[in-house]
Amino acid sequence: VNSFRPVAWAAVVIALSSDAAYVGAMRWFCSSPLRKSFDVPMNIQYAVNRFNGLYMEVLGVAVIVPNAYHAAGFAHPGCVVVGEVMVALIAIMLKSGIYDTEPVTPDRHAIRQSQWHAVTFMGLVPTTLLSISLIGGASAILIPQAGSLGVGSSTPFAQRALCGAASLTWFALACTKMLHLACSEGLHRVAIRLMVVGGAASLVPLAVDFGDLGSLAWVTLCGGIVVILQQVKNAVGQRRERGSSYDQGALI
């Protein structure tokens, strides 16, 4: 298994960098007519629907399902129930954060801005999916530990994985948000800053041992604050845009 890891990591790096390498090679080494002859416009509706569907599948399969434990099978069932509720809240908040990242119209999507925007967007998708999966995997370690040992349980590895994954998720969503074209530049910057602050705040348990349930609660709290402020920001945007054609979804 250990000898296979370098090969696996090399395959991951090649897969993630292939789009950027292709675009770079075409821009740096090929003439404009040749580049245009190979340039196939991306179907933005397919990409958006496909990736949104993937996000929802990963939230269900990697976050919800692995953490659906039977509380009665543990010494501390109350801890298991509390942990499961927090994981469900995290999934809801991530769903809200993902949809708030999307632009109002396809014309404002990163794919429509430039090839480099599109390549960066495509590279951020697997990063976001990986971080969401890590949240589910870390939670699947923390909840049984809390159920077996009680509120005072502490599993440093899983706590670090959870906090790092939550931080990476919010940072990746913030970077994705930056790639889209804003309707309101001011509110757009507010949304990005909220995600960055939420990602940074999620790292606090790395410095202070909150325990297993405490770390899960902290990540839930940080995500909840980000999502609530996002909704406030969206309400402000809707009030500003009332009467215009942009009356659905996140307004920035």
Side-chain angles (χ1 to χ4, degrees):
V1 176
N2 291 333
S3 61
F4 178 72
R5 285 182 179 177
V7 178
W9 279 112
V12 170
V13 171
I14 292 172
L16 293 178
S17 61
S18 58
D19 287 335
Y22 171 77
V23 172
M26 293 296 290
R27 283 185 172 273
W28 295 327
F29 303 111
C30 299
S31 62
S32 179
L34 179 62
R35 187 168 65 245
K36 289 181 179 179
S37 66
F38 280 93
D39 186 21
V40 179
M42 187 180 296
N43 187 325
I44 187 170
Q45 288 299 132
Y46 172 81
V48 171
N49 293 335
R50 180 64 173 168
F51 290 141
N52 284 341
L54 278 174
Y55 285 134
M56 296 307 104
E57 288 179 17
V58 170
L59 280 174
V61 174
V63 178
I64 300 296
V65 174
N67 292 286
Y69 292 101
H70 182 52
F74 293 87
H76 302 273
C79 294
V80 176
V81 172
V82 171
E84 289 176 338
V85 170
M86 287 191 288
V87 167
L89 290 174
I90 289 174
I92 294 171
M93 290 182 294
L94 288 176
K95 178 180 178 181
S96 177
I98 290 168
Y99 281 135
D100 188 77
T101 303
E102 293 298 312
V104 181
T105 63
D107 290 338
R108 296 181 179 275
H109 199 280
I111 292 175
R112 290 287 174 84
Q113 306 313 309
S114 71
Q115 281 187 323
W116 287 116
H117 280 75
V119 167
T120 306
F121 171 80
M122 298 287 285
L124 285 170
V125 170
T127 303
T128 308
L129 292 172
L130 173 62
S131 58
I132 292 174
S133 300
L134 287 174
I135 290 175
S139 301
I141 298 174
L142 295 174
I143 293 176
Q145 284 292 101
S148 300
L149 303 178
V151 178
S153 67
S154 180
T155 312
F157 168 76
Q159 292 174 31
R160 291 194 295 268
L162 174 69
C163 297
S167 178
L168 180 60
T169 301
W170 289 116
F171 286 149
L173 290 177
C175 292
T176 302
K177 188 75 172 175
M178 291 174 62
L179 297 173
H180 299 311
L181 184 63
C183 287
S184 169
E185 192 63 37
L187 292 178
H188 192 76
R189 288 195 297 267
V190 169
I192 294 170
R193 289 168 182 169
L194 283 175
M195 294 179 185
V196 171
V197 171
S202 299
L203 296 174
V204 170
L206 297 181
V208 182
D209 187 4
F210 285 9
D212 292 342
L213 286 183
S215 298
L216 200 56
W218 179 260
V219 169
T220 306
L221 176 64
C222 291
I225 292 174
V226 171
V227 168
I228 290 172
L229 293 178
Q230 281 178 337
Q231 298 308 313
V232 173
K233 173 264 302 176
N234 286 342
V236 173
Q238 287 175 349
R239 184 170 298 178
R240 290 182 180 179
E241 297 290 340
R242 187 169 295 166
S244 71
S245 59
Y246 302 117
D247 59 353
Q248 294 181 350
L251 290 177
I252 57 171

